Amino acid sequence: VQLVESGGGSVQPGDSLRLSCAAFGFTFGNYDMAWFRQGPGKGSEGSWIRQGPGKGSEWVSTIDTGYRTYYSESVKGRFTISRDNASNMLYLQLNNLMPDDTAVYTCATSADSFTARGPGTQVTVSS
């Protein structure tokens, strides 16, 4: 499994970004995909529902093989997850960004129990 995220940047509150995740090494369409994020200074453990395998990593959103989508309460209504199985790509549209969204965003796959992560893409929201 190899995952490569891109699309982050430095924006102001209320702006939008679109993150991308290129997937390699597994049959993309056969597995659920998810986005996680790790904000600055967040090293405490949380419930398994909110934490990914990495310490301080917060679950953001999941899209399953049937294109059903799930979101954390903190991003619901502002973020949209999508996938393109033909090109092995996962996306996350981030709208109405807030300073608390500042984090490194990574994608993961159920192909390896959401363990492997790419280098991530930094999103910084500040005025």
Side-chain angles (χ1 to χ4, degrees):
V1 172
Q2 184 179 2
L3 302 163
V4 181
E5 303 90 350
S6 62
S10 295
V11 298
Q12 294 185 335
D15 285 351
S16 298
L17 284 172
R18 189 192 194 205
L19 307 185
S20 300
C21 168
F24 307 91
F26 62 101
T27 305
F28 182 80
N30 288 356
Y31 297 95
D32 300 347
M33 297 295 298
W35 285 97
F36 291 86
R37 67 186 181 184
Q38 184 161 1
K42 295 189 178 177
S44 60
E45 297 294 335
S47 72
W48 74 270
I49 294 174
R50 295 185 65 244
Q51 296 287 336
K55 185 177 182 180
S57 180
E58 175 189 5
W59 170 74
V60 174
S61 180
T62 296
I63 184 167
D64 68 16
T65 56
Y67 294 88
R68 288 175 290 265
T69 59
Y70 309 88
Y71 300 93
S72 67
E73 286 300 318
S74 62
V75 307
K76 191 176 295 182
R78 300 187 298 121
F79 292 6
T80 303
I81 191 171
S82 61
R83 65 190 298 164
D84 181 346
N85 290 348
S87 60
N88 290 0
M89 293 294 294
L90 175 72
Y91 302 100
L92 187 68
Q93 177 68 39
L94 290 63
N95 294 331
N96 192 22
L97 281 161
M98 303 186 296
D100 280 351
D101 295 320
T102 295
V104 175
Y105 286 72
T106 58
C107 59
T109 174
S110 63
D112 67 350
S113 300
F114 302 104
T115 301
R117 306 288 175 83
T121 186
Q122 175 72 48
V123 173
T124 302
V125 186
S126 66
S127 54

